[in-house]
Amino acid sequence: DPNRFVPRMLSMHKRLLEARTNRLPPAVDTKVLSSWNGLAVSALAKVGSALEVEGFIEAARLAGSFVTRKLIEADKFYAVFTSGQAYTNATLDDYAFVAQGMLDLHEATRAKRWLESARRLADWMVERFYSEEDGFYFTSDDHEELIARFKEPLDSATPSGNGIASSVLLRLGRLDRNKKYVRIAESTLNHFGELLRQRPRETESLLEALSYLRDLEKARSETEQETFPRGDIQLAVEP
């Protein structure tokens, strides 16, 4: 009977809470992580835009502003902020996820500052993590010295940095007509091509980047060639 059950449960919850307040509370992790904020900004900006919920977009804007103010300096990007201080060199995931969040925030608000932030992070990301032979490493070229620098193409609890980095570069490449970004993303996808075929369920972020690349190639192939009557002058018109 709900009329008896609900009050009884509420009474029990109240008594449990009173007992719990007499115990030492567990520690609370108050770190702010760049990468997770990047993912949150993307989600809030996309859903806020799709459902026209201004509160979500505002939350994305506030989180994006916090990251750019507290975790990015003149030429440094940090992974963690806590107790009023930023520390630890950012990894590929931090760069890629935050750059993606900035792009999604730009699409939701049309504010140029977010696009400029995405470009800056993308340039740093290529400069500090990219290798022509190997794709993107997880740590930067100025990170603390490890036994070996490794690459992570597989998705886990969070997407692969290589997948999100490739998507970011392809989206920026299309917006800015930047062939360098597109070439780097295409090279990264080619590098992991065999892995995509073997383990598609674990490389979904790379497959999403591949879909961006195919859209870009389709737009290229649809470029029309209009020939003038003389026959020796051609004008390329992009759709």
Side-chain angles (χ1 to χ4, degrees):
D1 178 4
N3 292 327
R4 295 177 57 194
F5 177 76
V6 173
R8 185 181 179 198
M9 291 299 295
L10 291 175
S11 173
M12 291 167 68
H13 286 165
K14 182 180 177 182
R15 287 157 58 196
L16 279 170
L17 182 59
E18 288 172 354
R20 189 174 293 148
T21 56
N22 294 319
R23 297 171 55 187
L24 185 67
V28 178
D29 186 351
T30 58
K31 294 194 302 293
V32 173
L33 302 179
S34 294
S35 60
W36 289 8
N37 269 268
L39 293 174
V41 167
S42 283
L44 289 164
K46 284 182 176 179
V47 176
S49 182
L51 302 182
E52 298 182 355
V53 179
E54 184 57 37
F56 289 167
I57 296 174
E58 179 60 18
R61 190 183 291 116
L62 290 171
S65 295
F66 183 91
V67 171
T68 54
R69 283 187 294 107
K70 300 293 187 179
L71 287 148
I72 300 176
E73 293 180 353
D75 62 346
K76 292 284 291 183
F77 183 27
Y78 297 98
V80 184
F81 182 90
T82 188
S83 302
Q85 184 177 359
Y87 59 94
T88 304
N89 282 358
T91 64
L92 174 63
D93 288 3
D94 298 302
Y95 282 79
F97 296 174
V98 172
Q100 176 182 248
M102 298 299 165
L103 273 177
D104 291 328
L105 198 46
H106 166 68
E107 289 186 359
T109 64
R110 296 300 169 190
K112 287 185 177 179
R113 60 175 291 203
W114 308 118
L115 182 58
E116 290 166 358
S117 293
R119 285 193 191 108
R120 177 164 64 150
L121 289 173
D123 287 337
W124 285 352
M125 184 172 68
V126 169
E127 177 187 339
R128 298 169 183 179
F129 295 87
Y130 179 66
S131 162
E132 287 280 357
E133 295 79 26
D134 301 309
F136 286 92
Y137 285 102
F138 183 71
T139 53
S140 63
D141 56 6
D142 64 347
H143 209 271
E144 62 181 293
E145 190 171 346
L146 304 174
I147 295 174
R149 292 175 76 192
F150 70 96
K151 307 178 295 292
E152 184 49 85
L154 300 178
D155 298 327
S156 55
T158 55
S160 154
N162 270 276
I164 301 302
S166 298
S167 290
V168 164
L169 292 176
L170 288 166
R171 291 170 67 184
L172 279 171
R174 190 166 195 170
L175 279 171
D176 296 344
R177 297 181 181 274
N178 188 318
K179 293 180 180 178
K180 177 186 174 183
Y181 286 164
V182 176
R183 180 186 59 76
I184 290 170
E186 191 169 7
S187 171
T188 301
L189 291 169
N190 283 331
H191 179 74
F192 295 116
E194 188 58 35
L195 189 66
L196 291 173
R197 284 186 285 272
Q198 293 174 355
R199 303 169 74 172
R201 288 291 188 184
E202 298 170 86
T203 54
E204 289 174 337
S205 59
L206 281 164
L207 287 169
E208 184 178 20
L210 183 59
S211 74
Y212 281 124
L213 180 61
R214 285 177 173 168
D215 287 345
L216 202 57
E217 289 172 343
K218 184 180 178 183
R220 282 180 191 161
S221 67
E222 290 175 355
T223 298
E224 297 173 358
Q225 295 288 335
E226 292 187 359
T227 306
F228 284 81
R230 279 173 48 195
D232 58 351
I233 303 175
Q234 288 191 328
L235 175 67
V237 183
E238 288 201 17

